[in-house]
Amino acid sequence: ADIASGRLAADIRELVNAGIRVVVAHGGGDELTKWRKSRRKRTVWHDGLRVTDDQTRDDAVLVFRGIVAPAIVGVLQRAGVSAVGLSGPDGGLVRVRRASPALGWVGRVRSVNTRILEDLTAAGHVPVVSPLGVDGNGQIYNVNGDDIAAAIACATQARALIFLTDVDGVRNKAGKVVGDLDPSTARAMVRSGVVSGGMVPKVRAALRLLSEVRFVCIVNGARPHALRRAMSSDGYGTRMSAHVPL
């Protein structure tokens, strides 16, 4: 989502001022692809996933921690939010294991060090977490941003996980946004291919989390007050919970 617009930053400030603890987990895959393309570096894909060799990993660290995270932190700071940039390797925040030899330095989340997040949020800070992880040997891995967001929400027993994306929510076969989505319908939509592309990992993450968080919402982060509306019950975006009201 485009936090650089400042709209989301204002919503985050309001949530923090209301005593709600907020953690921002960002992605950056598009920015990484653009960075490498501008330097005539080829991006290799395997089954739709980025292969992260040594150079790609170094580029990911540079782009995520040196470009994307500072931009988000800066916008939040200007909105009056005390934002703190972190990544998975910082303090062993996100521990991972290698996802697949074919993907290189791509990690799957094993654990989250919640104490760091709890200490920061208790003091009124907003951690901004870049999609990187570390293994037991101190090696850094590229990690899917949705996976890190889901792992943090689960580990911290968050009230809600909000996926901010560039579409208005999950659409059904007719192309209409589904306001409330129950688990069985969501699984059927993934199996049938109605849910596809980048929406699949978000829906799957939501399904895994429904026993841990109150609800998961998928909304268009470019819409005015997207975050505030997602936290309310006005039917904005697609809301998934274990118990959908009739």
Side-chain angles (χ1 to χ4, degrees), residues 205-219:
L207 289 169
R208 292 195 302 270
L209 283 168
L210 290 183
S211 62
E212 305 291 339
V213 303
R214 189 174 303 177
F215 67 89
V216 178
C217 203
I218 301 172
V219 301

Side-chain angles (χ1 to χ4, degrees), residues 149-212:
I152 290 173
C154 182
T156 58
Q157 298 181 318
R159 174 188 173 192
L161 170 62
I162 312 298
F163 283 117
L164 298 168
T165 182
D166 58 356
V167 296
D168 291 335
V170 178
R171 297 185 182 275
N172 60 21
K173 193 173 182 180
K176 183 179 179 181
V177 174
V178 181
D180 289 309
L181 187 58
D182 65 89
S184 61
T185 301
R187 292 187 185 96
M189 291 174 72
V190 171
R191 286 196 302 269
S192 66
V194 173
V195 172
S196 60
M199 190 60 72
V200 172
K202 292 177 174 60
V203 172
R204 285 179 172 165
L207 289 169
R208 292 195 302 270
L209 283 168
L210 290 183
S211 62
E212 305 291 339

Side-chain angles (χ1 to χ4, degrees), residues 13-155:
R13 182 188 64 227
E14 290 186 12
L15 292 174
V16 173
N17 289 343
I20 297 174
R21 299 189 183 194
V22 178
V23 177
V24 174
H26 70 83
D30 291 344
E31 289 81 359
L32 176 57
T33 299
K34 291 175 185 176
W35 169 272
R36 291 181 59 78
K37 185 176 180 180
S38 70
R39 285 152 182 78
R40 298 182 179 180
K41 297 179 181 179
R42 189 168 63 98
T43 297
V44 179
W45 303 90
H46 177 76
D47 291 338
L49 299 173
R50 185 193 308 273
V51 175
T52 303
D53 59 13
D54 291 358
Q55 184 60 60
T56 303
R57 180 184 60 176
D58 291 346
D59 289 343
V61 173
L62 187 154
V63 172
F64 298 160
R65 293 290 281 127
I67 299 175
V68 179
I72 296 173
V73 169
V75 171
L76 290 172
Q77 294 280 10
R78 288 192 292 275
V81 177
S82 178
V84 180
L86 296 171
S87 65
D90 296 325
L93 176 59
V94 179
R95 296 281 184 179
V96 302
R97 60 176 174 79
R98 187 183 294 271
S100 164
L103 295 176
W105 297 107
V106 174
R108 297 285 186 215
V109 181
R110 294 182 58 190
S111 64
V112 175
N113 181 354
T114 59
R115 182 171 181 178
I116 296 173
L117 301 177
E118 289 168 354
D119 287 347
L120 287 169
T121 55
H125 306 295
V126 173
V128 176
V129 183
S130 298
L132 300 167
V134 65
D135 68 8
N137 296 317
Q139 294 286 353
I140 297 176
Y141 288 75
N142 183 14
V143 186
N144 180 276
D146 292 338
D147 290 345
I148 282 188
I152 290 173
C154 182

